[in-house]
Amino acid sequence: MSALKNKWVWFGAGLIIGIPVVAFGWWLLAPLFLDTEVNEEFPLTENATIPAGITQSEAETVMMTMSKVETKMDEEMPKEMMEAANVVVKSGNFRDGDSFHKGEGTATIYKLADGQQVLRFEDFKVTNGPDLRVLLVNHSNPMGRGDLDSGYEELGKLKGNIGNQNYTIPDSIDVDDYGSIVIYCKPFHVVFSVASLN
């Protein structure tokens, strides 16, 4: 009877310990085998994803204004003209963080016609990992965690490890003070990819 009781105690202890270990292992390793693709339109073009921070009424005003201009011209406004008011402030190409953490594509900071700043990833792809974050970093070419000590701003969680994406940069941030975009694994403090900005 005692041996049977001991088996159940060990079985219960194994479950209590095993379930969190398996869950942690899945959280840690699953991103290495799974990709998340996100493709967003460039802000404020037709059918665009409206960046966070722009109210619905502001977005409607802009879209109505664009619609009126198109009506007056009596023809569709070319995409290039709709984007003409968007100014490229800084841009750079993603590079690998190291031999295992790979990254490619471009990072471009735009100043939109309404003054809002938006970070845009295009043709973007990075090795997936747990809890990846998008950082705007003071250092122009960080090689590791220590180089982030010069200062950074977190723009949010990475939406997907593949695809074209938009990230709003708060108005309080002067992008001239920053030299790179970093894809960073927050729990393990690992740089996955860097785009030095020019």
Side-chain angles (χ1 to χ4, degrees), residues 133-196:
R133 303 297 173 124
V134 179
L135 305 182
L136 186 57
V137 180
N138 291 89
H139 197 289
S140 62
N141 192 24
M143 301 303 290
R145 177 184 179 186
D147 292 332
L148 302 184
D149 293 339
S150 62
Y152 66 86
E153 291 287 339
E154 184 177 313
L155 300 181
K157 191 167 184 165
L158 185 69
K159 297 175 183 178
N161 68 307
I162 298 173
N164 304 319
Q165 303 162 34
N166 305 313
Y167 297 86
T168 301
I169 300 174
D171 294 338
S172 59
I173 294 176
D174 183 355
V175 295
D176 289 335
D177 296 337
Y178 296 87
S180 63
I181 301 297
V182 172
I183 307 303
Y184 187 68
C185 178
K186 195 169 185 177
F188 295 101
H189 308 291
V190 176
V191 171
F192 272 49
S193 186
V194 176
S196 296

Side-chain angles (χ1 to χ4, degrees), residues 64-97:
M64 282 174 45
T65 302
M66 288 166 51
S67 173
K68 286 177 185 173
V69 171
E70 287 176 1
T71 303
K72 287 177 185 174
M73 292 176 66
D74 202 26
E75 61 183 357
E76 273 195 32
M77 179 183 274
K79 184 178 178 182
E80 293 79 17
M81 287 180 70
M82 288 197 302
E83 293 180 354
N86 302 326
V87 177
V88 174
V89 179
K90 289 186 171 189
S91 186
N93 294 319
F94 280 101
R95 65 163 173 79
D96 299 343

Side-chain angles (χ1 to χ4, degrees), residues 53-71:
I54 294 181
T55 65
Q56 187 64 36
S57 62
E58 289 173 329
E60 287 171 3
T61 302
V62 171
M63 295 310 271
M64 282 174 45
T65 302
M66 288 166 51
S67 173
K68 286 177 185 173
V69 171
E70 287 176 1
T71 303

Side-chain angles (χ1 to χ4, degrees), residues 10-69:
W10 282 108
F11 179 74
L15 279 178
I16 290 169
I17 294 169
I19 290 173
V21 168
V22 169
F24 178 74
W26 175 254
W27 174 79
L28 179 65
L29 298 174
L32 299 175
F33 305 104
L34 303 172
D35 288 323
T36 303
E37 186 166 350
V38 173
N39 280 300
E40 298 178 318
E41 296 290 329
F42 186 79
L44 304 183
T45 59
E46 260 187 14
N47 303 319
T49 301
I50 299 167
I54 294 181
T55 65
Q56 187 64 36
S57 62
E58 289 173 329
E60 287 171 3
T61 302
V62 171
M63 295 310 271
M64 282 174 45
T65 302
M66 288 166 51
S67 173
K68 286 177 185 173
V69 171

